[in-house]
Amino acid sequence: MVVDTDRVTRGHGLIEGFLAKQRARMADKLISPAHRDGHILDIGHVAFPLFLSQTQARGRHGLDRISEEAAIEWAKRGIHLVYQDLEQNWHLPYPDAYFSAVTMLAVFEHIASHRLVELLTEVHRVLQPGGIYVMTTPAAWTGWLLALMARLRLVSHDEIDEHKGSYSQREIRATMEAAGFQPGRIRTGYFEVFANNWAAARV
């Protein structure tokens, strides 16, 4: 199987690869060297696990709707991918306190809000004490911008049409707190000229 390194999202937008790399860089900055001594899980990486392919950790794991062929190919590279449709099943197939870090990059906006708390509760469960959860999602004000970019074919209509919500940093914090993350252990910020949110929370 040949791995298509240009298809880091399901869509065909002209700058989607660039944007995915920006998200991966942001996440990499938020994960400390200590967390890399353990296992990292990336949820929602599509067929090409860009972040996992570029980051360092003792164990690298991914979860998304991926083919068996892709899983076999990436296993040869030390990346362990599992098929799961999070819209149908949000229970993570891992034991308690297994991961030192969990990431969800541009995933928040693709999951219905009532499912997010359930999924993040699972994320909290599989994180070790001291572990970190890292996420990114478009800023709440960017709906019109993303629609314009889709019309210009800079990003994919397929990706934008799948969005089920948009989130302010206050709403991100509230969702994470509802899932069990402590308010004092959540940090938030912006990147890409305030167009994207990031959040990091320690268990």
Side-chain angles (χ1 to χ4, degrees), residues 18-202:
F18 168 78
L19 296 176
K21 289 173 184 175
Q22 294 296 100
R23 294 190 292 267
R25 289 191 188 101
M26 186 73 246
D28 219 32
K29 291 178 183 177
L30 295 167
I31 297 174
S32 72
H35 290 116
R36 299 177 192 280
D37 290 336
H39 294 265
I40 290 178
L41 171 65
D42 185 36
I43 297 172
H45 50 72
V46 301
F48 184 87
L50 176 68
F51 169 70
L52 292 173
S53 72
Q54 296 182 343
T55 198
Q56 297 296 318
R58 181 160 62 90
R60 293 174 293 169
H61 304 258
L63 188 106
D64 203 346
R65 293 175 293 182
I66 53 99
S67 67
E68 182 178 353
E69 292 81 4
I72 292 171
E73 183 67 22
W74 284 107
K76 297 174 185 176
R77 306 177 186 206
I79 297 175
H80 308 285
L81 305 183
V82 172
Y83 176 92
Q84 187 158 324
D85 185 344
L86 292 171
E87 294 181 7
Q88 302 298 321
N89 179 15
W90 58 91
H91 178 76
L92 300 180
Y94 305 101
D96 295 355
Y98 187 74
F99 294 102
S100 58
V102 175
T103 59
M104 283 172 42
L105 310 182
V107 175
F108 235 65
E109 65 273 19
H110 290 275
I111 299 176
S113 58
H114 68 285
R115 291 286 191 218
L116 265 176
V117 172
E118 295 166 333
L119 175 58
L120 292 185
T121 300
E122 278 289 283
V123 169
H124 191 278
R125 177 185 67 80
V126 301
L127 276 169
Q128 300 167 357
I132 189 169
Y133 167 64
V134 173
M135 62 79 70
T136 71
T137 191
W141 64 267
T142 59
W144 68 269
L145 177 60
L146 292 171
L148 175 61
M149 292 171 70
R151 284 199 297 273
L152 296 174
R153 299 185 181 180
L154 298 174
V155 298
S156 169
H157 270 294
D158 295 337
E159 291 280 323
I160 303 306
D161 290 346
E162 287 181 1
H163 287 192
K164 294 180 171 62
S166 60
Y167 296 88
S168 66
Q169 292 188 4
R170 180 183 59 79
E171 291 167 327
I172 292 168
R173 284 178 172 272
T175 303
M176 294 169 71
E177 289 171 20
F181 290 94
Q182 296 301 309
R185 297 188 174 186
I186 301 172
R187 295 183 296 135
T188 57
Y190 295 103
F191 66 108
E192 289 185 338
V193 199
F194 298 98
N196 274 282
N197 296 303
W198 64 261
R202 290 179 181 266

